[in-house]
Amino acid sequence: MASQPEQPSRRGVLLGTALGAAALAAGAMPRTAQAQDTGSPAPPLFDPVGAYPAPPFPPQPQPWPGLQSKMHPVPDCGEKSYTGSGRMKGRHALVTGGDSGIGRAVAIALAREGADVALNYLPQEESDAREVIALIRQSGRKAVALPGDLRDEAFCKSLVAQAASSLGALDCLINSAGRQHFHESILDLSTEELDWTLKTNIYSLVWLIKAAVPLMPPGSAIVNTTSRQAYSPSANLVDYAATKAAIANMTRSLGKQLLPKGIRVNAVAPGPFWTPLQVCGAQPEAVVEHFGAEVAYHRPGQPVEIAPVYVTLASTDSSYVAGQVWGITGGSGEPG
C-alpha cells in the first residue's frame, strides 16, 4: 500500500482543465500564468496513481451510518493538505453529509476558500462532525452544526431556514448525503429499505431545494451528488442506482428551470471513493477488500481529490456552467 506524500492543493490541475479554454477565449490570463506572475511557487509534480492507498483493504464492517475515524486507512479529506485562495470568500454554504467522506472534504474546502458553512449530519455521526466543525473554525470561518435526519420533510425545511438564519444568508447548497445498501436480489429489497433510500437520496433533495430557492440570491449555486451508478449500475444496487440516475436527470431539469433566477444547478458523479458509506453495508465485504481495483487508477479516490470539483461548480468561476454532471470516476472515461 503506497504511503501518501505531502500533497499540494489540486485546485490548479482540475480548474485549469475545466476552465482554461474559457479563460483564454475571454482574454483572461490563465491561472498558471497568474501564479507565476505573483511569484507563487509551482506545486511539485507527483504520480497520481500511487499517491494514495490501494487495495487490498482490511475487513472493517461498521453499523450504519459508519464513522470515518474508525476506518483503515482513514480517508483523506484534505484536513492537512487543502489550501484555499479565496474563491468562496463571503459565501454561505449548507453541506449535507458533511461529517465524513466527500461531504467532509467539501466542507473543509469551502471554509478554506472563505465560506461560512452549516453542516448537516446524523446524530450518530457527532464525533466525526465535531472534527469538521473545529477545522472550519480553525480556518477563521463560521461553522454551524445542524444534526438531523433528512428523511423528515419538516426537518429539511427547518434545516435550510436554520442554516440561512445562522449564517446570515444562503447562497450555496451542497447535497452530499446519501444512502446505499446492497441486495443481491430484488426479492430481498424490503419496502422499508426502498423507502429509506428514496427518502434519503431523492425526497430530501426535493425538500431541501424547494426550501432553499426562495432564500437564494442570483449568483447562488446548488451542487448535487449523483454517481457512476447512474450510468453503469451494479446488479446489487438497484434502488441506489435508480436514485442516482434520478438525481442526474433532476440536475439537468433544474439547471434549466432555475437559471432564469440566477441560480446554477450542477452535479458531481463520483466513481469509487473511500468513504464510510462503503464499510457499513453499501457493498459486500469482499468488494470492500478490493474496492477501486477495477478502475484505471487501481485504487479508490480519496475525498480530497474530488472536493475541488465541488468548489469549482459552487464558485463564480463556473458562471457559464449549469445543468451539467461532471464525472470523477477514476479514469473510466464515463460521464459519471
Side-chain angles (χ1 to χ4, degrees):
M1 183 163 58
S3 61
Q4 178 188 339
E6 289 295 324
Q7 296 298 335
S9 168
R10 290 157 182 77
R11 296 184 319 279
V13 175
L14 290 168
L15 184 63
T17 300
L19 302 177
L24 289 171
M29 185 185 299
R31 286 184 176 271
T32 51
Q34 290 175 353
Q36 292 169 359
D37 290 347
T38 57
S40 300
L45 293 175
F46 65 95
D47 179 359
V49 176
Y52 290 100
F57 298 113
Q60 48 190 297
Q62 291 191 44
W64 178 268
L67 291 175
Q68 173 166 309
S69 55
K70 294 184 178 181
M71 292 180 67
H72 305 287
V74 175
D76 185 342
C77 295
E79 293 91 343
K80 296 181 179 179
S81 63
Y82 193 98
T83 302
S85 59
R87 296 169 63 203
M88 293 292 289
K89 186 176 181 180
R91 300 286 297 276
H92 314 82
L94 168 60
V95 180
T96 68
D99 60 291
S100 63
I102 292 173
R104 178 188 181 111
V106 174
I108 292 169
L110 291 174
R112 293 186 182 168
E113 294 287 358
D116 293 331
V117 181
L119 206 68
N120 166 252
Y121 51 92
L122 290 169
Q124 305 96 301
E125 300 166 317
E126 183 68 36
S127 60
D128 278 353
R130 282 199 299 266
E131 296 175 355
V132 186
I133 293 295
L135 288 166
I136 293 170
R137 291 173 178 166
Q138 288 169 16
S139 300
R141 309 312 312 165
K142 180 184 290 186
V144 180
L146 299 172
D149 193 332
L150 297 177
R151 291 177 293 172
D152 183 331
E153 181 177 6
F155 171 72
C156 287
K157 293 178 180 178
S158 173
L159 171 62
V160 172
Q162 289 183 69
S165 175
S166 300
L167 298 177
L170 183 66
D171 50 55
C172 178
L173 172 61
I174 307 292
N175 290 306
S176 179
R179 159 78 174 172
Q180 176 184 330
H181 193 85
F182 82 94
H183 295 90
E184 295 297 351
S185 169
I186 195 170
L187 302 180
D188 301 326
L189 177 60
S190 69
T191 298
E192 179 182 10
E193 289 177 303
L194 176 62
D195 190 56
W196 190 349
T197 302
L198 289 172
K199 282 192 171 180
T200 303
N201 296 0
I202 294 296
Y203 281 43
S204 69
L205 206 70
V206 174
W207 296 332
L208 291 168
I209 292 174
K210 284 180 65 176
V213 165
L215 304 178
M216 298 182 113
S220 298
I222 298 171
V223 186
N224 298 322
T225 304
T226 177
S227 168
R228 66 171 175 171
Q229 290 291 327
Y231 304 90
S232 182
S234 298
N236 61 358
L237 295 175
V238 171
D239 55 333
Y240 176 79
T243 64
K244 292 302 176 176
I247 291 171
N249 279 352
M250 188 186 304
T251 296
R252 294 186 177 100
S253 294
L254 288 173
K256 299 172 184 176
Q257 183 186 123
L258 297 182
L259 191 58
K261 297 180 182 293
I263 300 172
R264 295 181 302 104
V265 184
N266 293 286
V268 181
F273 274 80
W274 187 241
T275 75
L277 187 71
Q278 305 306 326
V279 299
C280 57
Q283 303 281 3
E285 193 59 42
V287 174
V288 175
E289 181 181 355
H290 299 285
F291 188 61
E294 77 282 4
V295 300
Y297 278 65
H298 303 298
R299 66 167 177 85
Q302 292 292 324
V304 67
E305 296 182 280
I306 201 170
V309 179
Y310 284 83
V311 171
T312 296
L313 289 173
S315 75
T316 56
D317 289 328
S318 293
S319 59
Y320 198 62
V321 181
Q324 297 293 312
V325 178
W326 287 7
I328 311 298
T329 56
S332 68
E334 293 176 330

